[in-house]
Amino acid sequence: QSVLTQPPSVSGTPGQRVTISCSGGNFNIGSNTVNWYQQLPGAAPQLLMFSNNRRPSGVSDRFSGSKSGTSASLAIDGLQSEDGGDYYCAAWDDSLSIYVFGTGTEVTVL
Amino acid sequence: EVQLVQSGAEAKKPGDSLKISCKGSGYIFSSYWIGWVRQMPGKGLEWMGIIFPDDSGPKYSPSFQGQVTISVDKSISTAYLQWTSLKGSDSATYYCVRRSAWSLIDYWGQGTLVTVSS
């Protein structure tokens, strides 16, 4: 059901910057804002970024988001061990009339 | 504090029926949509459908239309996800979520693990 494509995994050493891409289409990312969710091991997903580049209260400014056309990306600066987990992009799809999620990216801190 | 608290893990047999729940608190329950998301073991997130507590009709993802029933009882601030005949492929963790006024899926329940096995 995933119509948003993400790389399966990214990795980095502590302190590095990693980026996660999210590729969609005209009816989802191209028409609506992108949100990102972080799912730590064994936990429920949590909102990490909304409206392309806005952080909810309490989210570290090490996380940043951007969107251009039908793609979006999430960057993590100063990677920390606690950042290890799965990350999902998401957006409403006007054609399917559902909320679509990305395929998910596993972030590994080496 | 906004909270979505889901019912506990369930172990069922194929063909059984099941209804799991999601109770909202810390906000005006009747003013926000409640949705459901499936996560199969080791897999990603899938949108199932959504319902508005003050409305009559849930909106289902085509992938789940006819497979589940979403309902709500606003008098007790609780949403439900229901199956009439479970299959092994229904084994997954199910999350309820809240949709904000700006169509943002902002809060998640803790998840309900459903295991279907003979």
Side-chain angles (χ1 to χ4, degrees), chain B residues 40-111:
Chain B
M40 299 180 75
K43 301 298 183 183
L45 305 171
E46 301 175 88
W47 184 257
M48 300 179 73
I50 196 167
I51 191 166
F52 191 67
D54 255 358
D55 196 8
S56 58
K59 302 179 190 301
Y60 296 98
S61 164
S63 299
F64 292 93
Q65 179 81 48
Q67 308 303 309
V68 296
T69 300
I70 294 172
S71 60
V72 64
D73 184 344
K74 65 179 181 179
S75 70
I76 55 172
S77 302
T78 300
Y80 301 96
L81 181 64
Q82 184 175 4
W83 295 261
T84 55
S85 181
L86 286 161
K87 304 184 287 288
S89 56
D90 293 318
S91 294
T93 298
Y94 294 87
Y95 295 100
C96 63
V97 297
R98 190 187 82 159
R99 191 183 96 167
S100 76
W102 302 272
S103 294
L104 172 64
I105 301 300
D106 55 0
Y107 286 93
W108 295 64
Q110 83 277 20

Side-chain angles (χ1 to χ4, degrees), chain A residues 1 37 39 44 88 92 99, chain B residues 39 47 61 95 103 105 108:
Chain A
Q1 194 188 68
Y37 300 90
Q39 186 174 31
Y88 295 89
W92 286 99
Y99 198 60
Chain B
Q39 187 170 38
W47 184 257
S61 164
Y95 295 100
S103 294
I105 301 300
W108 295 64

Side-chain angles (χ1 to χ4, degrees), chain A residues 15-30:
Chain A
Q16 276 191 325
R17 173 185 169 99
V18 296
T19 60
I20 301 169
S21 60
C22 174
S23 177
N26 291 327
F27 291 109
N28 39 71
I29 295 178

Side-chain angles (χ1 to χ4, degrees), chain A residues 3-6 20-34 36 52 66-73 89-93 100 102:
Chain A
V3 298
L4 306 181
T5 303
Q6 300 177 231
I20 301 169
S21 60
C22 174
S23 177
N26 291 327
F27 291 109
N28 39 71
I29 295 178
S31 303
N32 297 291
T33 59
V34 177
W36 291 87
N52 305 327
S66 65
K67 171 187 147 177
S68 177
T70 58
S71 295
S73 65
C89 59
W92 286 99
D93 188 293
V100 291

Side-chain angles (χ1 to χ4, degrees), chain A residues 10-87:
Chain A
V10 298
S11 63
T13 56
Q16 276 191 325
R17 173 185 169 99
V18 296
T19 60
I20 301 169
S21 60
C22 174
S23 177
N26 291 327
F27 291 109
N28 39 71
I29 295 178
S31 303
N32 297 291
T33 59
V34 177
N35 309 309
W36 291 87
Y37 300 90
Q38 177 192 57
Q39 186 174 31
L40 299 176
Q46 293 185 87
L47 182 64
L48 183 69
M49 191 75 55
F50 67 99
S51 295
N52 305 327
N53 55 13
R54 299 181 64 184
R55 288 184 304 274
S57 174
V59 172
S60 170
D61 60 4
R62 297 185 298 104
F63 294 92
S64 60
S66 65
K67 171 187 147 177
S68 177
T70 58
S71 295
S73 65
L74 177 75
I76 309 175
D77 288 306
L79 193 66
Q80 298 181 0
S81 58
E82 67 235 39
D83 298 332
D86 296 323
Y87 292 76

